[in-house]
Amino acid sequence: MLITIADPFDPSLPGKLGEFGEVATGLDRLAETDVLLVRSKTKVTREVLEKAPKLKLVIRGGVGIDTIDVKAAEERGVRVRNTPKASSITVAELAFALMLAAPTRLIEAHISMCQGKWEKNELKRTELFGKTLTLVGLGNIAAEVAKRAQAFGMTVCAYDPHVPARRAEELGVTLLGDLKEALSRADYVSLHVPLVESTKNLINKETLSVMKKGAVLVNTARAGVIVAEDVLEALESGQLAYYCADVWPTDPPSPDYPILKSNRVFMVPHLGANSKENLLRIGEEVCSIIREAQKEGVL
Ligand code: NAD
């Protein structure tokens, strides 16, 4: 069996995969590949699948499978799996760090000191304590963000039409049935939905207008969930105080991406799933998915 690792995983993974067969990196040996491992960079398109006639299993080390043409894979009898829970803590920690950067003025203060300034009086701070956080999407990552926000003394609301009320109760989160109602309560909004038809452009001129003036928007989900031009306009008018982003239309974003024009944006280069611990957890899940496929006779 040939396992191809197309994108960067933990350096220990090739060694761990040795028990299953031969391991290759890059896409040069697609024609002989039985199992293809990808993260975000390699898109598993119909064309890629056509170049891999022996392929039986694609594993995405990560949450979404929007980088894989699942329909084309199904048509060819290729099983598609991901590692849905491995990244929850690490993405939640980044979302929380981005959110905390706004009231602490952490990034602006750091930049200011790097420029030789001492803006102790200019950099007025606020607190997360006592503020309301609205989570858009209440899945695995949002649940971890909720726990951290509660530890900081925040009230947590959520909008997620697919989650049972019982789950929100367990998490101590107020689940609201209407997106605008949920957004209107928030001092902070954190996005945790997949990019699907119902979430595309969800944060737009209309939904931004119901938020409290000066709210903070955190996006570690997908760039396509927001309308960038509308977010820029909201930042310029003060409707939004900050937009904190880990996710981009492309990695890296094109220089003309509207969001890059604002100095009210805190940005990181898609680091959400990049922790050492997460890569190790993904590696463990990859091995158990391959083991399961072997047991079921897929490989
Ligand atoms: P999850 O599947 O556990 O949760 C997603 C939630 O979104 C679900 O509860 C679902 O019901 C809800 N949802 C779906 N459509 C909705 C809608 N229209 N309105 C409101 N809620 C809706 O996924 P997760 O592990 O929490 O991850 C969430 C997203 O985070 C992923 O889909 C991915 O896009 C993104 N992500 C980003 C990174 C990163 O590196 N920044 C890493 C992992 C995941």
Side-chain angles (χ1 to χ4, degrees), residues 39-40 60-66 82-88 90-92 94 135-144 158-164 167 179 191-200 202 219-223 225 245-248 251 268-274 278:
R39 291 199 58 229
S40 297
R60 157 119 215 279
V63 177
I65 45 170
D66 46 333
N82 58 346
T83 58
K85 290 203 173 166
S87 311
S88 307
T90 204
V91 181
L94 184 71
L135 300 165
V136 181
L138 188 58
N140 295 316
I141 296 171
E144 295 297 331
Y159 168 75
D160 187 329
H162 311 293
V163 130
R167 173 67 179 144
L179 175 64
L191 305 177
H192 300 289
V193 285
L195 182 60
V196 290
E197 215 36 55
S198 67
T199 60
K200 203 172 161 199
L202 197 68
N219 189 0
T220 57
R222 286 288 180 262
V225 177
D246 180 43
V247 284
W248 308 95
D251 283 2
V268 289
H270 204 171
L271 295 181
N274 247 4
N278 179 42

Side-chain angles (χ1 to χ4, degrees), residues 37 42 71 90 96 110-111 163 167 204 248 267 287 291:
L37 308 186
T42 302
K71 188 167 172 276
T90 204
F96 209 80
H110 176 78
I111 293 172
V163 130
R167 173 67 179 144
N204 53 41
W248 308 95
M267 40 192 169
C287 291
R291 222 168 273 126

Side-chain angles (χ1 to χ4, degrees), residues 132-290:
T132 297
L133 166 67
T134 286
L135 300 165
V136 181
L138 188 58
N140 295 316
I141 296 171
E144 295 297 331
V145 175
K147 289 181 208 162
R148 284 153 184 78
Q150 285 155 348
F152 270 70
M154 300 183 86
T155 299
V156 186
C157 299
Y159 168 75
D160 187 329
H162 311 293
V163 130
R166 176 180 82 250
R167 173 67 179 144
E169 263 168 47
E170 273 166 19
L171 292 167
V173 169
T174 306
L175 189 63
L176 296 156
D178 180 60
L179 175 64
K180 287 187 178 169
E181 163 70 12
L183 292 176
S184 71
R185 294 193 186 194
D187 302 292
Y188 292 81
V189 174
S190 193
L191 305 177
H192 300 289
V193 285
L195 182 60
V196 290
E197 215 36 55
S198 67
T199 60
K200 203 172 161 199
N201 299 337
L202 197 68
I203 303 299
N204 53 41
K205 203 186 242 320
E206 199 187 328
T207 47
L208 283 161
S209 73
V210 302
M211 290 186 199
K212 287 185 194 170
K213 196 166 172 67
V216 173
L217 177 63
V218 181
N219 189 0
T220 57
R222 286 288 180 262
V225 177
I226 65 147
V227 178
E229 292 77 7
D230 295 356
V231 168
L232 177 64
E233 202 182 301
L235 288 165
E236 284 171 349
S237 72
Q239 175 64 11
L240 275 184
Y242 296 98
Y243 175 61
C244 310
D246 180 43
V247 284
W248 308 95
T250 52
D251 283 2
S254 134
D256 59 5
Y257 186 50
I259 291 301
L260 301 176
K261 293 195 184 91
S262 173
N263 62 0
R264 311 293 290 176
V265 176
F266 296 150
M267 40 192 169
V268 289
H270 204 171
L271 295 181
N274 247 4
S275 74
K276 183 172 171 48
E277 293 85 344
N278 179 42
L279 291 179
L280 283 170
R281 276 195 294 268
I282 287 176
E284 281 158 22
E285 279 199 40
V286 163
C287 291
S288 59
I289 292 168
I290 296 177

